[in-house]
Amino acid sequence: MSATRTLADFVAEAPAGVASPRAIEVLSRAVLDLAGCVVAGADEPAGRLAADYAVASGAPGAAALLGAGRGRLSPALAGMANGTAGHALDFDDIGIGVGHVSVAILPGVLALAEHVGADGAAFLDALVLGYELASRLTSMYPDTRLGPYAAGYHKPGVYAALGGAAACGRLLGLNADGIASALGIAASQAGGLRANFGTMTKPLHAGVANRTAVESALLAASGFTASTEILEQRFGWHDVICRGEGDLDGIVAGLGDGFAVEEGLVFKAYPCCGANHHAISALLGLLNDEGVDAADVDSVDVEIEARNLSEVLVYDWPRSPLEGKFCLAYNVAAALADRAVTVDTFTDAALERLTAHRDRIHVHPVTHLPQHGARVAVNLTDGRTLNREQLTLRGSLADPMSTEELVTKFRGCVAGHLADRRLAPDGVEDFLSRVTTLEKQPDLRSLTEPLLG
């Protein structure tokens, strides 16, 4: 049997309750974290413009626009708008080889769950299966920066869009033929180019992945046809998007022997590209532990894996706040000058102010550090040099954030909406109560209602 059909059969025939207690724990934390990111991102220009477009393009529906104060829309448009808002700050989780996995799958599945009236258990089962399919597509390569990513594709549009389509098909109760058709439709919309890193279109990649997932499943449910062997067929997904590289047969090995999401996800402490985070943490830790002020620092040298600089952190110095999220020197300058990297780091005012520190930061690409690591040397005005190597992060699989930390992050993300009374304190507490018992929720609209804004 082909890889497409094997995966489609697995998604369609997996029993109810496939979400293990561990999977439920991980996904509940993902919903909590992403909800805060969406609400906060709804105030970002990309989030506002995506919501404006969605409202202007569609009629009212069942799916919530979180934090936007715009009510409910059709699932495809709500998924697009929430996905874009959720990635606007680059504060959302990453993991299981897919990169920004939750923001590129969860909003569409949530929107469709609201649309069809699915309960929390069915929603979680669909997410487990969608995350699994997306993760398996990345498993063809020993390094997930190979394949489509090396060719210039952003992962949400080539992996998560298909995982989301499978998850949405599962929610609609599609059989294996229907799931395979949904994958065929989604694969023809695969895309998202890394040249758009540092612009509003980067978060739009997540929005489009969600819209693609919902539309593909709904079209397949209506009888719309597509190749049902899209992964392996000539001129199909593997042939074109992956350029025929990687072991396609290997993506079905061990299918059903546990699920990728059970390994956990990486939750971010800073609202910027994750490739910055080890250097930020190293510098902040060193300054705090040694009691060093910015005025005591002459310069900072930062070493980071060369590919992170050439392929992800591509700006020597940003021309806009969004480019700042992909500039290592800028984030290190913020950590030095402000002893923090926050949402306010990525504003026009901060960019103008931090430019004064540009010449104090020296970035060095190296090959002796791993992808997830950095080394900083803080050169003091008294002639001393302080060094730190950072190979782990709070929020990573090796040092996971606690639920209390994620709740604190969520509260920070919604603070602006609480301050101007777009959200009610009781509603926020209601959401926090419900998200801890997702598997017991009879519907998802009661979960999203307090966060409409």
Side-chain angles (χ1 to χ4, degrees):
M1 187 183 297
S2 70
T4 309
R5 296 303 301 233
T6 300
L7 291 172
D9 283 350
F10 181 73
V11 171
E13 296 174 7
V18 72
S20 67
R22 170 60 177 164
I24 292 171
E25 175 192 12
V26 173
L27 289 169
S28 296
R29 288 159 59 87
V31 172
L32 166 64
D33 187 69
L34 184 59
C37 292
V38 174
V39 171
D43 279 350
E44 292 292 300
R48 289 197 302 269
L49 291 172
D52 288 346
Y53 170 78
V55 170
S57 301
L65 288 182
L66 300 184
R70 313 296 287 273
R72 296 177 179 271
L73 292 175
S74 71
L77 288 169
M80 183 279 294
N82 288 334
T84 303
H87 197 34
L89 293 169
D90 224 306
F91 212 6
D92 49 289
D93 70 49
I94 52 179
I96 62 172
V98 187
H100 295 276
V101 58
S102 292
V103 76
I105 293 179
L106 203 157
V109 180
L110 175 60
L112 190 61
E114 293 182 283
H115 177 73
V116 302
D119 61 22
F123 168 64
L124 289 165
D125 282 351
L127 287 178
V128 167
L129 295 166
Y131 280 48
E132 182 68 14
L133 189 144
S135 180
R136 284 181 170 274
L137 293 177
T138 75
S139 68
M140 293 188 295
Y141 310 101
D143 182 337
T144 59
R145 293 177 296 178
L146 300 176
Y149 194 82
Y153 289 109
H154 190 201
K155 294 177 184 179
V158 294
Y159 298 128
L162 276 69
C168 288
R170 168 73 180 207
L171 271 183
L172 293 174
L174 300 186
N175 61 19
D177 287 339
I179 298 288
S181 292
L183 293 174
I185 298 168
S188 268
Q189 301 177 76
L193 302 178
R194 291 199 286 127
N196 274 311
F197 281 20
T199 75
M200 293 185 200
T201 299
K202 202 251 189 181
L204 181 63
H205 294 165
V208 170
N210 284 286
R211 185 188 68 197
T212 294
V214 174
E215 290 178 341
S216 298
L218 289 171
L219 284 167
S222 75
F224 210 91
T225 64
S227 168
T228 54
E229 295 187 339
I230 197 64
L231 297 180
E232 54 281 303
Q233 189 171 334
R234 186 186 180 206
F235 304 134
W237 180 84
H238 183 246
D239 193 21
V240 176
I241 301 298
C242 304
R243 301 177 294 180
E245 300 171 353
D247 178 16
L248 184 61
D249 292 337
I251 69 174
V252 298
L255 195 59
D257 297 338
F259 291 93
V261 74
E262 293 171 344
E263 77 179 39
L265 298 168
V266 176
F267 294 100
K268 287 187 171 185
Y270 313 109
C272 58
C273 176
N276 294 292
H277 288 205
H278 287 83
I280 294 170
S281 290
L283 180 57
L284 290 176
L286 198 56
L287 295 177
N288 291 331
D289 291 349
E290 300 293 335
V292 174
D293 292 327
D296 301 323
V297 177
D298 178 67
S299 63
V300 178
D301 288 285
V302 187
E303 293 182 352
I304 191 172
E305 187 216 30
R307 285 180 64 191
N308 275 329
L309 286 177
S310 64
E311 298 194 11
V312 188
L313 303 178
V314 293
Y315 298 104
D316 293 333
W317 193 258
R319 297 165 297 182
S320 69
L322 285 178
E323 286 187 359
K325 293 178 181 288
F326 300 91
C327 173
L328 181 61
Y330 182 77
N331 283 278
V332 172
L336 174 63
D338 300 336
R339 300 181 86 94
V341 176
T342 69
V343 171
D344 292 334
T345 300
F346 305 98
T347 62
D348 289 328
L351 176 56
E352 181 178 359
R353 176 174 54 81
L354 291 171
T355 297
H357 301 276
R358 177 179 183 178
D359 292 339
R360 302 172 74 188
I361 312 302
H362 308 292
V363 174
H364 308 281
V366 299
T367 57
H368 61 266
L369 285 172
Q371 176 186 359
H372 303 294
R375 182 177 294 143
V376 299
V378 178
N379 306 303
L380 303 179
T381 54
D382 64 8
R384 291 181 298 143
T385 296
L386 306 175
N387 296 281
R388 176 163 296 187
E389 184 174 271
Q390 189 87 25
L391 298 179
T392 61
L393 281 175
R394 188 65 175 168
S396 67
L397 300 184
D399 188 16
M401 285 187 186
S402 67
T403 299
E404 290 74 19
E405 287 174 295
L406 288 175
V407 169
T408 298
K409 177 182 173 181
F410 171 83
R411 291 189 187 281
C413 284
V414 304
H417 282 67
L418 284 170
D420 59 17
R421 299 184 180 181
R422 284 178 288 168
L423 296 183
D426 288 349
V428 168
E429 298 309 312
D430 182 66
F431 169 82
L432 289 171
S433 176
R434 291 180 185 276
V435 80
T436 62
T437 55
L438 267 181
E439 72 279 12
K440 299 178 181 178
Q441 296 302 311
D443 67 87
L444 279 303
R445 292 188 65 169
S446 58
L447 177 76
T448 60
E449 187 68 25
L451 301 184
L452 284 173

